[in-house]
Amino acid sequence: MWKEKQMDKIHLPKEIYERLDLKENEEIEIVDLAADSFTIRKINARKSDKAPKWFIIPTIISAFIFIIFAFVLKHPHVIALSGNESLATAVITIANAVGMLTFISAYFSRRKEFYKQMTKRSYWRTFATVTLSVLLIVILASMGLFWFLGQIFYGVSFGLFTSTLIFTIFSGIINYVMIFVVDTFSINMMVTMLLVVSIGGFVSSMATNGNQYWWQRNFSLLGTQASRSSWQFNLTLIVSAALFAALIDYIFVSLRQKAGSHYRQNILQVLLTLCAISIALVGLIPNDPGWMHIAHDIVAQLIVLFMAISILGIRWFLPNADPNLYRMSYFIVGLILISYVLWHPIHYLTLTAFEILSFSLSFAWLLLLVNTLINMLWNTKKIYKVSLNSIEGKSEK
Protein backbone atom coordinates (compact mmCIF):
# COMPACT_ATOMS: atom_id res chain seq x y z
CA MET A 1 0.00 0.00 0.00
CA TRP A 2 1.29 3.41 -0.91
CA LYS A 3 2.03 5.71 1.97
CA GLU A 4 0.10 8.97 1.82
CA LYS A 5 2.25 11.83 0.73
CA GLN A 6 2.80 14.45 3.40
CA MET A 7 1.98 17.95 2.25
CA ASP A 8 4.40 20.84 2.72
CA LYS A 9 3.31 23.60 5.08
CA ILE A 10 3.81 27.28 4.56
CA HIS A 11 3.59 30.08 7.13
CA LEU A 12 1.88 33.27 6.00
CA PRO A 13 1.49 36.64 7.76
CA LYS A 14 -1.67 36.99 9.84
CA GLU A 15 -3.18 39.68 7.60
CA ILE A 16 -2.93 37.38 4.56
CA TYR A 17 -4.68 34.62 6.52
CA GLU A 18 -7.48 37.07 7.29
CA ARG A 19 -7.61 38.43 3.76
CA LEU A 20 -7.96 34.95 2.26
CA ASP A 21 -10.30 33.86 5.07
CA LEU A 22 -8.12 30.82 5.82
CA LYS A 23 -8.51 28.31 8.62
CA GLU A 24 -5.98 26.06 10.30
CA ASN A 25 -4.69 23.30 7.98
CA GLU A 26 -6.83 24.58 5.11
CA GLU A 27 -5.30 24.01 1.71
CA ILE A 28 -4.10 26.75 -0.61
CA GLU A 29 -2.58 26.57 -4.07
CA ILE A 30 0.21 28.49 -5.75
CA VAL A 31 -0.43 29.26 -9.41
CA ASP A 32 1.16 31.34 -12.16
CA LEU A 33 4.59 30.44 -10.81
CA ALA A 34 7.25 32.49 -12.61
CA ALA A 35 10.86 33.46 -12.02
CA ASP A 36 9.99 36.31 -9.64
CA SER A 37 6.28 36.06 -8.84
CA PHE A 38 3.39 33.73 -8.07
CA THR A 39 -0.25 33.84 -6.97
CA ILE A 40 -1.69 32.33 -3.78
CA ARG A 41 -5.38 31.44 -3.58
CA LYS A 42 -7.75 29.17 -1.70
CA ILE A 43 -8.56 25.81 -3.26
CA ASN A 44 -12.28 26.54 -3.15
CA ALA A 45 -11.94 30.15 -4.28
CA ARG A 46 -12.48 29.42 -7.93
CA LYS A 47 -15.49 31.15 -9.39
CA SER A 48 -18.18 28.84 -10.63
CA ASP A 49 -19.17 29.50 -14.21
CA LYS A 50 -22.95 29.25 -14.21
CA ALA A 51 -23.49 30.74 -17.66
CA PRO A 52 -23.09 27.50 -19.74
CA LYS A 53 -25.86 25.63 -17.88
CA TRP A 54 -28.30 28.27 -16.60
CA PHE A 55 -28.85 30.36 -19.75
CA ILE A 56 -30.92 27.60 -21.41
CA ILE A 57 -33.95 27.99 -19.11
CA PRO A 58 -34.65 31.70 -19.79
CA THR A 59 -33.89 31.13 -23.48
CA ILE A 60 -36.63 28.49 -23.74
CA ILE A 61 -39.07 30.76 -21.87
CA SER A 62 -38.40 33.69 -24.19
CA ALA A 63 -38.83 31.43 -27.26
CA PHE A 64 -42.30 30.36 -26.04
CA ILE A 65 -43.25 34.00 -25.45
CA PHE A 66 -42.10 34.84 -28.99
CA ILE A 67 -44.29 32.10 -30.51
CA ILE A 68 -47.30 33.24 -28.46
CA PHE A 69 -46.88 36.85 -29.60
CA ALA A 70 -46.46 35.70 -33.20
CA PHE A 71 -49.96 34.13 -33.12
CA VAL A 72 -51.53 36.93 -31.05
CA LEU A 73 -50.29 39.56 -33.54
CA LYS A 74 -51.43 37.34 -36.42
CA HIS A 75 -47.96 36.71 -37.86
CA PRO A 76 -47.85 32.89 -37.72
CA HIS A 77 -46.43 32.39 -41.21
CA VAL A 78 -44.26 35.36 -42.24
CA ILE A 79 -42.28 37.63 -39.88
CA ALA A 80 -40.24 40.56 -41.21
CA LEU A 81 -36.65 41.12 -40.10
CA SER A 82 -37.20 44.80 -39.26
CA GLY A 83 -40.19 47.04 -38.60
CA ASN A 84 -42.75 47.59 -35.84
CA GLU A 85 -43.93 43.97 -35.61
CA SER A 86 -40.74 42.18 -36.60
CA LEU A 87 -37.97 39.89 -35.47
CA ALA A 88 -35.84 42.89 -34.52
CA THR A 89 -38.61 44.31 -32.30
CA ALA A 90 -39.07 40.91 -30.64
CA VAL A 91 -35.37 40.61 -29.79
CA ILE A 92 -35.16 44.22 -28.54
CA THR A 93 -38.24 43.83 -26.33
CA ILE A 94 -38.88 40.19 -25.41
CA ALA A 95 -35.33 38.79 -25.46
CA ASN A 96 -33.87 41.81 -23.68
CA ALA A 97 -36.67 41.85 -21.08
CA VAL A 98 -36.15 38.17 -20.24
CA GLY A 99 -32.39 38.75 -20.31
CA MET A 100 -32.69 41.56 -17.78
CA LEU A 101 -34.77 39.34 -15.48
CA THR A 102 -32.01 36.74 -15.82
CA PHE A 103 -29.38 39.36 -14.93
CA ILE A 104 -31.34 40.61 -11.91
CA SER A 105 -31.92 37.06 -10.63
CA ALA A 106 -28.24 36.10 -11.04
CA TYR A 107 -27.00 39.38 -9.57
CA PHE A 108 -29.32 39.03 -6.55
CA SER A 109 -28.43 35.37 -5.99
CA ARG A 110 -24.72 36.25 -5.71
CA ARG A 111 -25.22 39.15 -3.32
CA LYS A 112 -23.42 37.39 -0.43
CA GLU A 113 -20.37 36.86 -2.63
CA PHE A 114 -20.48 40.51 -3.71
CA TYR A 115 -20.55 41.59 -0.04
CA LYS A 116 -16.93 40.41 0.11
CA GLN A 117 -15.98 42.71 -2.79
CA MET A 118 -18.06 45.68 -1.67
CA THR A 119 -20.01 46.64 1.42
CA LYS A 120 -23.65 45.69 1.73
CA ARG A 121 -24.59 49.34 1.43
CA SER A 122 -22.52 49.78 -1.73
CA TYR A 123 -24.08 46.66 -3.25
CA TRP A 124 -27.62 47.99 -2.90
CA ARG A 125 -26.58 51.47 -4.02
CA THR A 126 -25.10 50.11 -7.23
CA PHE A 127 -27.81 47.50 -7.87
CA ALA A 128 -30.25 49.76 -9.77
CA THR A 129 -27.50 51.65 -11.57
CA VAL A 130 -25.70 48.55 -12.80
CA THR A 131 -28.99 46.96 -13.90
CA LEU A 132 -30.06 50.08 -15.81
CA SER A 133 -26.63 50.38 -17.43
CA VAL A 134 -26.66 46.76 -18.58
CA LEU A 135 -30.18 47.26 -19.96
CA LEU A 136 -29.08 50.32 -21.92
CA ILE A 137 -26.04 48.51 -23.29
CA VAL A 138 -27.99 45.50 -24.58
CA ILE A 139 -30.74 47.71 -26.07
CA LEU A 140 -28.25 49.93 -27.89
CA ALA A 141 -26.30 46.89 -29.09
CA SER A 142 -29.47 45.17 -30.31
CA MET A 143 -30.75 48.28 -32.07
CA GLY A 144 -27.41 48.87 -33.75
CA LEU A 145 -27.06 45.25 -34.86
CA PHE A 146 -30.56 44.99 -36.36
CA TRP A 147 -30.25 48.40 -38.01
CA PHE A 148 -27.12 47.08 -39.72
CA LEU A 149 -28.80 43.78 -40.67
CA GLY A 150 -31.82 45.68 -41.95
CA GLN A 151 -29.61 47.71 -44.26
CA ILE A 152 -27.95 44.57 -45.66
CA PHE A 153 -31.08 42.38 -45.91
CA TYR A 154 -33.62 45.07 -46.73
CA GLY A 155 -37.23 43.81 -46.85
CA VAL A 156 -36.40 40.20 -45.97
CA SER A 157 -38.94 38.05 -44.10
CA PHE A 158 -38.83 34.58 -42.53
CA GLY A 159 -41.26 31.78 -41.73
CA LEU A 160 -42.26 31.03 -38.16
CA PHE A 161 -39.79 28.16 -37.70
CA THR A 162 -36.82 30.14 -39.09
CA SER A 163 -37.85 33.26 -37.16
CA THR A 164 -38.14 31.27 -33.92
CA LEU A 165 -34.75 29.68 -34.51
CA ILE A 166 -33.08 33.06 -35.15
CA PHE A 167 -34.85 34.62 -32.16
CA THR A 168 -33.80 31.72 -29.91
CA ILE A 169 -30.16 32.10 -30.97
CA PHE A 170 -30.15 35.83 -30.16
CA SER A 171 -32.02 35.25 -26.92
CA GLY A 172 -29.55 32.53 -25.91
CA ILE A 173 -26.61 34.85 -26.58
CA ILE A 174 -28.20 37.63 -24.51
CA ASN A 175 -28.98 35.35 -21.55
CA TYR A 176 -25.52 33.77 -21.65
CA VAL A 177 -23.87 37.20 -21.65
CA MET A 178 -26.07 38.35 -18.76
CA ILE A 179 -25.07 35.44 -16.51
CA PHE A 180 -21.43 35.67 -17.64
CA VAL A 181 -21.35 39.38 -16.68
CA VAL A 182 -22.58 38.52 -13.18
CA ASP A 183 -20.05 35.66 -12.85
CA THR A 184 -17.15 37.96 -13.77
CA PHE A 185 -18.44 41.20 -12.23
CA SER A 186 -15.79 43.49 -10.73
CA ILE A 187 -14.90 47.14 -10.29
CA ASN A 188 -13.03 47.07 -13.60
CA MET A 189 -16.22 45.89 -15.31
CA MET A 190 -18.05 48.93 -13.95
CA VAL A 191 -15.42 51.14 -15.58
CA THR A 192 -15.86 49.23 -18.85
CA MET A 193 -19.63 49.66 -18.62
CA LEU A 194 -19.17 53.39 -18.13
CA LEU A 195 -17.02 53.53 -21.26
CA VAL A 196 -19.46 51.48 -23.34
CA VAL A 197 -22.55 53.40 -22.22
CA SER A 198 -20.97 56.84 -22.69
CA ILE A 199 -19.11 56.36 -25.96
CA GLY A 200 -21.64 53.97 -27.51
CA GLY A 201 -24.59 56.17 -26.62
CA PHE A 202 -23.04 59.37 -27.93
CA VAL A 203 -21.79 57.83 -31.17
CA SER A 204 -25.15 56.20 -31.92
CA SER A 205 -26.91 59.50 -31.15
CA MET A 206 -24.68 61.30 -33.66
CA ALA A 207 -25.34 58.66 -36.30
CA THR A 208 -29.13 58.49 -35.92
CA ASN A 209 -30.13 62.07 -35.05
CA GLY A 210 -31.56 62.69 -38.55
CA ASN A 211 -29.61 65.90 -39.24
CA GLN A 212 -26.26 65.52 -40.97
CA TYR A 213 -25.32 69.14 -40.16
CA TRP A 214 -26.02 69.03 -36.43
CA TRP A 215 -22.37 69.78 -35.73
CA GLN A 216 -22.76 73.30 -37.16
CA ARG A 217 -24.74 74.35 -34.06
CA ASN A 218 -23.67 72.67 -30.80
CA PHE A 219 -23.29 69.31 -29.11
CA SER A 220 -26.45 69.79 -27.03
CA LEU A 221 -28.56 69.78 -30.21
CA LEU A 222 -28.49 65.96 -30.04
CA GLY A 223 -30.67 66.12 -26.93
CA THR A 224 -33.27 68.61 -28.22
CA GLN A 225 -36.54 68.23 -30.12
CA ALA A 226 -34.62 68.85 -33.36
CA SER A 227 -33.01 65.39 -33.08
CA ARG A 228 -34.82 62.12 -33.71
CA SER A 229 -32.53 60.37 -31.20
CA SER A 230 -32.85 62.92 -28.40
CA TRP A 231 -34.14 60.28 -25.94
CA GLN A 232 -31.08 58.17 -26.67
CA PHE A 233 -28.66 61.06 -26.09
CA ASN A 234 -30.39 62.22 -22.89
CA LEU A 235 -30.73 58.68 -21.53
CA THR A 236 -27.02 58.12 -22.19
CA LEU A 237 -26.18 61.20 -20.10
CA ILE A 238 -28.48 60.13 -17.26
CA VAL A 239 -27.28 56.51 -17.10
CA SER A 240 -23.60 57.51 -17.49
CA ALA A 241 -23.98 59.99 -14.65
CA ALA A 242 -25.70 57.40 -12.42
CA LEU A 243 -23.05 54.80 -13.21
CA PHE A 244 -20.24 57.28 -12.52
CA ALA A 245 -21.83 58.36 -9.22
CA ALA A 246 -22.20 54.71 -8.17
CA LEU A 247 -18.60 54.00 -9.16
CA ILE A 248 -17.32 56.97 -7.16
CA ASP A 249 -19.44 56.02 -4.15
CA TYR A 250 -18.18 52.42 -4.30
CA ILE A 251 -14.53 53.49 -4.50
CA PHE A 252 -14.64 56.14 -1.77
CA VAL A 253 -16.62 53.94 0.65
CA SER A 254 -13.96 51.24 0.13
CA LEU A 255 -11.19 53.81 0.67
CA ARG A 256 -12.71 54.92 3.96
CA GLN A 257 -12.94 51.31 5.12
CA LYS A 258 -9.30 50.72 4.25
CA ALA A 259 -7.60 53.95 5.31
CA GLY A 260 -10.18 55.78 7.41
CA SER A 261 -12.13 58.93 6.68
CA HIS A 262 -10.22 62.01 5.40
CA TYR A 263 -12.02 65.30 4.87
CA ARG A 264 -10.06 66.08 1.69
CA GLN A 265 -11.20 62.86 0.04
CA ASN A 266 -14.74 63.51 1.27
CA ILE A 267 -14.73 66.93 -0.40
CA LEU A 268 -13.47 65.39 -3.66
CA GLN A 269 -16.23 62.77 -3.51
CA VAL A 270 -18.85 65.51 -3.01
CA LEU A 271 -17.50 67.49 -5.98
CA LEU A 272 -17.47 64.45 -8.27
CA THR A 273 -20.97 63.46 -7.14
CA LEU A 274 -22.25 66.99 -7.81
CA CYS A 275 -20.61 66.79 -11.22
CA ALA A 276 -22.45 63.52 -11.91
CA ILE A 277 -25.76 65.04 -10.76
CA SER A 278 -25.18 68.03 -13.06
CA ILE A 279 -24.50 65.71 -16.01
CA ALA A 280 -27.77 63.87 -15.29
CA LEU A 281 -29.63 67.21 -15.13
CA VAL A 282 -28.22 68.13 -18.56
CA GLY A 283 -29.92 64.99 -19.85
CA LEU A 284 -33.14 65.71 -17.95
CA ILE A 285 -33.30 69.34 -19.12
CA PRO A 286 -32.69 69.45 -22.90
CA ASN A 287 -31.48 72.64 -24.58
CA ASP A 288 -34.91 73.55 -25.98
CA PRO A 289 -36.11 77.20 -26.26
CA GLY A 290 -37.43 79.04 -23.19
CA TRP A 291 -36.65 78.39 -19.56
CA MET A 292 -35.13 74.99 -20.41
CA HIS A 293 -32.37 76.70 -22.42
CA ILE A 294 -31.45 78.90 -19.44
CA ALA A 295 -31.56 75.98 -16.96
CA HIS A 296 -29.57 73.79 -19.35
CA ASP A 297 -26.81 76.41 -19.64
CA ILE A 298 -26.65 76.92 -15.86
CA VAL A 299 -26.34 73.19 -15.20
CA ALA A 300 -23.71 72.83 -17.95
CA GLN A 301 -21.68 75.64 -16.35
CA LEU A 302 -21.90 73.86 -12.99
CA ILE A 303 -20.28 70.80 -14.60
CA VAL A 304 -17.38 73.01 -15.70
CA LEU A 305 -17.11 74.52 -12.20
CA PHE A 306 -17.06 71.20 -10.33
CA MET A 307 -14.65 69.64 -12.82
CA ALA A 308 -12.31 72.64 -12.70
CA ILE A 309 -12.14 72.59 -8.88
CA SER A 310 -11.53 68.82 -8.89
CA ILE A 311 -8.76 68.91 -11.50
CA LEU A 312 -6.95 72.02 -10.27
CA GLY A 313 -7.12 70.92 -6.62
CA ILE A 314 -6.23 67.27 -7.16
CA ARG A 315 -2.84 67.60 -5.43
CA TRP A 316 -4.58 68.94 -2.31
CA PHE A 317 -7.41 66.37 -2.43
CA LEU A 318 -5.09 63.37 -2.94
CA PRO A 319 -1.63 64.35 -1.62
CA ASN A 320 -0.33 60.75 -1.69
CA ALA A 321 -1.44 59.86 -5.21
CA ASP A 322 0.80 58.90 -8.12
CA PRO A 323 2.71 62.02 -9.33
CA ASN A 324 1.69 61.14 -12.89
CA LEU A 325 -1.88 62.06 -11.92
CA TYR A 326 -0.79 65.62 -11.07
CA ARG A 327 1.21 66.03 -14.27
CA MET A 328 -1.56 64.68 -16.47
CA SER A 329 -4.15 66.82 -14.67
CA TYR A 330 -2.31 70.06 -15.38
CA PHE A 331 -1.52 68.92 -18.93
CA ILE A 332 -5.23 68.31 -19.57
CA VAL A 333 -6.12 71.71 -18.11
CA GLY A 334 -3.59 73.27 -20.49
CA LEU A 335 -5.13 71.51 -23.50
CA ILE A 336 -8.63 72.64 -22.51
CA LEU A 337 -7.44 76.24 -22.18
CA ILE A 338 -5.74 76.08 -25.59
CA SER A 339 -8.90 74.67 -27.21
CA TYR A 340 -10.95 77.44 -25.54
CA VAL A 341 -8.66 80.12 -26.97
CA LEU A 342 -8.87 78.49 -30.41
CA TRP A 343 -12.67 78.61 -30.16
CA HIS A 344 -13.63 81.95 -28.63
CA PRO A 345 -11.11 84.66 -29.44
CA ILE A 346 -9.54 83.08 -32.54
CA HIS A 347 -12.68 81.27 -33.87
CA TYR A 348 -10.58 78.50 -35.38
CA LEU A 349 -12.69 75.81 -33.67
CA THR A 350 -16.47 75.65 -33.78
CA LEU A 351 -18.50 75.48 -30.58
CA THR A 352 -19.23 71.80 -31.24
CA ALA A 353 -15.55 71.01 -31.77
CA PHE A 354 -14.64 72.79 -28.52
CA GLU A 355 -17.41 70.94 -26.62
CA ILE A 356 -16.32 67.55 -27.94
CA LEU A 357 -12.63 68.25 -27.20
CA SER A 358 -13.29 69.51 -23.66
CA PHE A 359 -15.68 66.64 -22.95
CA SER A 360 -13.18 64.05 -24.24
CA LEU A 361 -10.34 65.52 -22.18
CA SER A 362 -12.48 65.74 -19.03
CA PHE A 363 -13.73 62.19 -19.53
CA ALA A 364 -10.13 60.99 -19.98
CA TRP A 365 -9.18 62.72 -16.70
CA LEU A 366 -12.07 61.06 -14.87
CA LEU A 367 -10.92 57.64 -16.11
CA LEU A 368 -7.36 58.47 -15.04
CA LEU A 369 -8.62 59.45 -11.59
CA VAL A 370 -10.71 56.29 -11.23
CA ASN A 371 -7.75 54.15 -12.27
CA THR A 372 -5.55 55.93 -9.69
CA LEU A 373 -8.12 55.39 -6.94
CA ILE A 374 -8.46 51.70 -7.86
CA ASN A 375 -4.68 51.29 -7.65
CA MET A 376 -4.70 52.96 -4.24
CA LEU A 377 -7.31 50.44 -3.13
CA TRP A 378 -6.19 47.11 -4.54
CA ASN A 379 -2.70 47.39 -5.95
CA THR A 380 -0.95 48.26 -2.72
CA LYS A 381 2.41 46.60 -2.04
CA LYS A 382 3.81 45.31 1.23
CA ILE A 383 7.32 44.02 1.85
CA TYR A 384 8.14 40.99 4.05
CA LYS A 385 11.45 39.42 5.03
CA VAL A 386 12.11 35.91 3.81
CA SER A 387 12.95 33.15 6.29
CA LEU A 388 13.94 29.61 5.30
CA ASN A 389 12.35 28.36 8.52
CA SER A 390 8.95 29.49 7.30
CA ILE A 391 8.43 26.07 5.68
CA GLU A 392 7.87 23.08 7.94
CA GLY A 393 8.31 19.47 6.86
CA LYS A 394 9.36 17.97 3.56
CA SER A 395 7.59 15.89 0.99
CA GLU A 396 8.39 12.19 1.18
CA LYS A 397 9.98 10.83 -1.92
Side-chain angles (χ1 to χ4, degrees):
M1 180 179 284
W2 293 96
K3 189 175 181 180
E4 186 178 351
K5 193 174 182 180
Q6 185 178 354
M7 191 174 295
D8 288 340
K9 290 187 177 181
I10 183 172
H11 287 265
L12 300 174
K14 183 180 178 182
E15 58 187 298
I16 297 181
Y17 272 96
E18 295 174 351
R19 184 72 178 269
L20 296 177
D21 194 21
L22 294 171
K23 299 177 182 178
E24 185 68 24
N25 294 325
E26 190 171 359
E27 296 180 3
I28 63 172
E29 60 182 357
I30 296 179
V31 294
D32 300 327
L33 188 61
D36 58 352
S37 64
F38 59 86
T39 301
I40 297 177
R41 68 185 183 193
K42 293 176 67 174
I43 294 293
N44 59 353
R46 298 170 183 167
K47 292 183 178 179
S48 60
D49 189 4
K50 299 179 181 178
K53 55 184 179 181
W54 288 111
F55 82 100
I56 298 175
I57 298 175
T59 301
I60 294 173
I61 294 174
S62 62
F64 273 112
I65 296 174
F66 173 77
I67 295 173
I68 292 171
F69 269 90
F71 281 95
V72 170
L73 298 175
K74 299 179 180 180
H75 293 288
H77 302 298
V78 179
I79 300 176
L81 175 64
S82 58
N84 293 330
E85 298 177 358
S86 64
L87 185 61
T89 304
V91 172
I92 293 171
T93 55
I94 300 173
N96 285 337
V98 174
M100 285 313 303
L101 291 176
T102 302
F103 177 84
I104 292 172
S105 301
Y107 195 74
F108 183 76
S109 66
R110 290 197 59 200
R111 63 190 184 281
K112 292 183 179 180
E113 296 177 40
F114 287 137
Y115 291 165
K116 298 178 182 178
Q117 301 179 26
M118 60 183 85
T119 63
K120 188 174 182 179
R121 183 175 61 177
S122 297
Y123 169 83
W124 288 110
R125 284 184 183 181
T126 58
F127 185 88
T129 304
V130 170
T131 302
L132 188 59
S133 300
V134 171
L135 176 62
L136 182 60
I137 290 172
V138 295
I139 288 178
L140 291 176
S142 302
M143 291 176 64
L145 176 62
F146 278 99
W147 175 85
F148 179 72
L149 293 176
Q151 299 298 312
I152 298 177
F153 305 102
Y154 183 77
V156 69
S157 299
F158 303 99
L160 179 60
F161 176 78
T162 306
S163 299
T164 304
L165 181 61
I166 295 173
F167 174 86
T168 304
I169 292 173
F170 278 105
S171 179
I173 293 172
I174 291 172
N175 285 290
Y176 182 91
V177 169
M178 292 299 182
I179 300 177
F180 179 78
V181 167
V182 175
D183 283 343
T184 59
F185 186 81
S186 64
I187 184 68
N188 292 324
M189 183 171 289
M190 290 184 69
V191 177
T192 303
M193 289 169 59
L194 177 62
L195 278 168
V196 173
V197 170
S198 303
I199 297 176
F202 290 143
V203 170
S204 60
S205 299
M206 295 177 194
T208 61
N209 76 95
N211 182 1
Q212 294 180 341
Y213 300 100
W214 65 271
W215 52 269
Q216 293 181 348
R217 291 182 58 183
N218 53 55
F219 195 59
S220 297
L221 178 68
L222 296 174
T224 64
Q225 297 175 354
S227 172
R228 289 188 305 190
S229 59
S230 58
W231 68 270
Q232 192 171 313
F233 179 82
N234 294 327
L235 186 61
T236 297
L237 284 173
I238 295 169
V239 175
S240 298
L243 188 57
F244 178 66
L247 187 62
I248 289 299
D249 182 70
Y250 176 21
I251 291 175
F252 277 94
V253 168
S254 301
L255 273 175
R256 280 194 287 271
Q257 284 187 329
K258 180 176 182 179
S261 179
H262 298 281
Y263 74 97
R264 296 187 183 186
Q265 293 179 5
N266 295 339
I267 295 174
L268 179 60
Q269 181 184 4
V270 170
L271 286 171
L272 294 174
T273 304
L274 289 174
C275 184
I277 293 173
S278 301
I279 293 173
L281 288 174
V282 167
L284 289 170
I285 308 174
N287 193 17
D288 290 320
W291 69 269
M292 299 184 78
H293 170 72
I294 298 173
H296 181 92
D297 283 352
I298 292 175
V299 175
Q301 290 169 7
L302 287 176
I303 297 176
V304 176
L305 175 64
F306 296 138
M307 282 295 298
I309 296 175
S310 300
I311 298 176
L312 293 174
I314 191 61
R315 186 183 289 271
W316 184 80
F317 292 127
L318 298 174
N320 299 321
D322 187 346
N324 288 326
L325 175 64
Y326 310 141
R327 289 192 286 267
M328 289 301 300
S329 298
Y330 301 140
F331 178 69
I332 288 174
V333 169
L335 290 178
I336 294 176
L337 290 175
I338 292 173
S339 62
Y340 178 82
V341 171
L342 291 175
W343 163 57
H344 197 53
I346 299 178
H347 299 292
Y348 177 77
L349 296 176
T350 63
L351 174 58
T352 305
F354 168 70
E355 288 179 332
I356 293 177
L357 278 173
S358 58
F359 167 78
S360 301
L361 290 169
S362 301
F363 190 72
W365 181 82
L366 289 174
L367 292 179
L368 176 65
L369 174 65
V370 168
N371 184 63
T372 301
L373 293 172
I374 290 175
N375 287 333
M376 290 173 63
L377 264 176
W378 284 284
N379 292 342
T380 55
K381 299 177 181 178
K382 192 152 187 178
I383 299 175
Y384 300 96
K385 287 186 178 181
V386 176
S387 173
L388 294 178
N389 295 326
S390 62
I391 301 178
E392 296 179 354
K394 294 183 180 179
S395 299
E396 291 186 11
K397 296 183 181 180

